[in-house]
Amino acid sequence: MFPILYENITAGVVPANNGIGVLSDCISCEIEQERNGAYELILEYPMTGIHAEELAYRRIIKAKPNPTDDSQLFRIDRIGKVMNGVFTVYAKHISYDLSGYEIASGSANSASAACLLLQNAASGYTITTDKTTSGNFSITEPSSVRSWFGGKIGSFLDVFGTTEIKYNNFNIQFLLHAGQDRGSTIRYGKNLLELSQEITDTLYTHVLYD
């Protein structure tokens, strides 16, 4: 399934049409997702491609991240320079738009109440959890909705403990387990082809002071 390009979208609505057009000329399209971390798309496209001039900053690319998940929306945030007739497009998952949604203040004493608090400030998005954990979740100064997912003291992950964030376009879920245990194991020579370690002389393990 080829990626599809859109000029813009309405928050909360995943377009079903072909928008500006299907990026069938793309050379490659890779999506990288880290557990509770980055969720980004990298697309290589030829300058001679039919939609080359329409791949612009802030436009949307819909692409399938893996064989099982639904196609996801990614907003273009950077376009690289042309090299050998090819340029690279970098885009971030539509959930990153929540960095532009502001929440001024609020508090919650449970995981579900915290999700509702964040959702009320994120028009078009649904934020839920299957956790029943209690805790003191408190927002005391204006900040972005997405900044409260994790990565800082007082965030959802900090207050309510280990959680896996599942992104499905405008639906965000804080789950005990986002995936499934299919019984697969990692074995050298089978699905692990290389293991390397980088040693650097600038690594410090201790600090000495007097």
Side-chain angles (χ1 to χ4, degrees):
M1 179 178 178
F2 289 108
I4 303 173
L5 180 65
Y6 298 90
E7 182 172 2
N8 208 341
I9 56 172
T10 301
V13 179
V14 178
N17 56 37
N18 285 338
I20 294 175
V22 178
L23 301 174
S24 56
D25 294 332
C26 74
I27 297 170
S28 67
C29 181
E30 297 182 356
I31 296 173
E32 178 181 341
Q33 183 178 15
E34 299 175 359
R35 182 177 180 268
N36 296 345
Y39 198 177
E40 301 175 347
L41 174 149
I42 301 176
L43 181 143
E44 290 187 332
Y45 201 80
M47 280 297 298
T48 55
I50 190 172
H51 297 298
E53 294 185 359
E54 294 166 307
L55 282 160
Y57 177 68
R58 298 292 293 170
R59 285 188 171 173
I60 302 291
I61 296 174
K62 182 169 73 171
K64 197 165 176 59
N66 56 59
T68 57
D69 285 352
D70 294 335
S71 294
Q72 299 294 305
L73 301 172
F74 297 83
R75 189 179 294 279
I76 298 174
D77 73 331
R78 183 163 59 95
I79 299 176
K81 295 181 179 180
V82 178
M83 296 185 65
N84 298 322
V86 176
F87 64 96
T88 304
V89 177
Y90 302 87
K92 293 183 177 180
H93 190 265
I94 197 66
S95 62
Y96 282 79
D97 277 12
L98 288 173
S99 295
Y101 285 69
E102 182 183 294
I103 183 168
S105 62
S107 61
N109 56 15
S110 69
S112 58
C115 285
L116 183 59
L117 176 66
L118 294 173
Q119 179 179 290
N120 288 339
S123 177
Y125 287 81
T126 300
I127 303 175
T128 58
T129 184
D130 62 357
K131 297 202 73 173
T132 57
T133 312
S134 297
N136 181 24
F137 184 78
S138 179
I139 299 171
T140 59
E141 57 184 27
S143 47
S144 76
V145 170
R146 203 176 196 280
S147 70
W148 289 100
F149 287 3
K152 67 179 183 181
I153 296 175
S155 67
F156 188 98
L157 296 182
D158 179 55
V159 173
F160 300 109
T162 303
T163 304
E164 295 182 5
I165 306 176
K166 174 70 174 178
Y167 296 103
N168 184 16
N169 291 309
F170 299 100
N171 299 313
I172 293 95
Q173 296 175 289
F174 293 90
L175 303 174
L176 289 171
H177 303 288
Q180 297 181 8
D181 185 354
R182 300 185 183 276
S184 297
T185 58
I186 298 176
R187 296 180 182 176
Y188 185 77
K190 179 184 178 182
N191 48 19
L192 177 63
L193 302 180
E194 182 181 1
L195 182 64
S196 60
Q197 180 179 11
E198 181 177 339
I199 305 297
T200 174
D201 57 6
T202 59
L203 178 66
Y204 294 91
T205 60
H206 298 78
V207 176
L208 178 65
Y209 66 93
D210 53 21

